Amino acid sequence: MPAGPLSGITNAISTVSRDGRITTRITTGYFHLNMHHMALYIVAAVDDSIGPAALVGLARSLRQVSQELDRTLAGCVGESSVARCHVLAALADGSGRSMSQLAEASLLTGASLTRLVDGMINDNLVLRKVDDHDRRRVLVMATRRGMLTHEVMTRAVEDSGLAIAAAEHDRLVAALAAVLDRIRLADTAPLPGPR
C-alpha cells in the first residue's frame, strides 16, 4: 500500500492510563502512515478532552487503526481482506474448528463467514468434516494447500517489517483490556433517571 498524507482529516487520538482512564487529543491535520518506520504522525493539535468526547474519539481511533492494519496486512499477503488469513491462522495448528470458533477468530458472523468458508473450500484451502466425537457438529479444517498458504502469508508478514508494529503488543493489549472492562462495567450500570 502506498504511504502518503491525506489532508483535512479530523482525528482523535486516545490514550489510556494504567487505571483505565481515557484521555483523547482531538487533532486536525495530516494523517500519514510511514511504512518504513511504522510511525503514525498527526499534526496540529486542537483540543484535549475527557468524557463523552473521549469515548467517541477512542472509538474512531480504534476503527481507523483496525482498518489501516487490515488493509496493510491484506496487501502484504496478497489478499483483498484479512478474513482468510484469520481463518487459516485459527486452523494452523492442524485441528479443526467449528463455525462459531471461526466466527470468533475472524470476527465474521453468519452468512459472511459461510460465504468465506465456501470460497476457501472452492480454492482448496479448507474442508468441512464431521466431528469424530460429536456427529452433529461439523468442523472446518485446513487442507495441505491451506497450511502452505498460511506459511507463505506468515513469511510475507515477517519479511515486510510489519512485525515491528507489534512491539507494543503487551502494553496495548493490557490498556485495551482495561478499557473493555470499564466499558462492560458501564454497560451493566443502570441509566440515570430524568433530571
Side-chain angles (χ1 to χ4, degrees), residues 8-24:
I9 291 179
T10 299
N11 203 350
I13 299 299
S14 298
T15 56
V16 182
S17 64
R18 291 185 193 270
D19 64 355
R21 190 173 132 213
I22 303 167
T23 304
T24 300

Side-chain angles (χ1 to χ4, degrees), residues 32-61:
H32 180 81
L33 180 62
N34 182 327
M35 293 303 298
H36 181 67
H37 295 102
M38 290 307 297
L40 180 65
Y41 302 101
I42 299 184
V43 296
V46 174
D47 182 32
D48 286 333
S49 60
I50 293 178
L55 291 175
V56 171
L58 178 62
R60 182 179 172 139
S61 295

Side-chain angles (χ1 to χ4, degrees), residues 44-72:
V46 174
D47 182 32
D48 286 333
S49 60
I50 293 178
L55 291 175
V56 171
L58 178 62
R60 182 179 172 139
S61 295
L62 289 173
R63 185 174 177 98
Q64 283 181 317
V65 168
S66 175
Q67 288 174 341
E68 189 64 29
L69 183 59
D70 282 355
R71 192 173 18 258
T72 303

Side-chain angles (χ1 to χ4, degrees), residues 3 80 82 87 116 128-129 145 151 160 186 195:
S80 58
V82 293
V87 169
L116 177 68
R128 286 191 181 98
K129 179 182 176 190
R145 182 176 181 187
E151 289 175 20
S160 72
R195 293 181 184 203

Side-chain angles (χ1 to χ4, degrees), residues 11-172:
N11 203 350
I13 299 299
S14 298
T15 56
V16 182
S17 64
R18 291 185 193 270
D19 64 355
R21 190 173 132 213
I22 303 167
T23 304
T24 300
R25 177 176 300 268
I26 299 172
T27 60
T28 302
Y30 298 93
F31 171 77
H32 180 81
L33 180 62
N34 182 327
M35 293 303 298
H36 181 67
H37 295 102
M38 290 307 297
L40 180 65
Y41 302 101
I42 299 184
V43 296
V46 174
D47 182 32
D48 286 333
S49 60
I50 293 178
L55 291 175
V56 171
L58 178 62
R60 182 179 172 139
S61 295
L62 289 173
R63 185 174 177 98
Q64 283 181 317
V65 168
S66 175
Q67 288 174 341
E68 189 64 29
L69 183 59
D70 282 355
R71 192 173 18 258
T72 303
L73 282 173
C76 177
V77 297
E79 293 282 334
S80 58
S81 80
V82 293
R84 288 167 51 130
C85 301
H86 292 308
V87 169
L88 289 175
L91 301 173
D93 65 0
S95 61
R97 299 281 187 267
S98 67
M99 289 295 280
S100 61
Q101 290 169 322
L102 290 180
E104 190 175 309
S106 66
L107 299 178
L108 294 175
T109 57
S112 297
L113 181 59
T114 300
R115 276 191 302 275
L116 177 68
V117 169
D118 288 345
M120 292 176 75
I121 289 171
N122 291 340
D123 293 339
N124 193 27
L125 298 174
V126 299
L127 57 87
R128 286 191 181 98
K129 179 182 176 190
V130 175
D131 188 352
D132 293 334
H133 303 291
D134 184 352
R135 307 281 304 156
R136 298 169 294 174
R137 195 167 94 147
V138 175
L139 300 176
V140 178
M141 302 182 79
T143 62
R144 180 170 162 72
R145 182 176 181 187
M147 296 295 268
L148 291 172
T149 301
H150 177 259
E151 289 175 20
V152 168
M153 289 177 174
T154 301
R155 272 195 304 272
V157 171
E158 289 170 354
D159 293 346
S160 72
L162 285 174
I164 198 166
E168 295 287 318
H169 175 267
D170 293 340
R171 187 182 65 77
L172 290 172

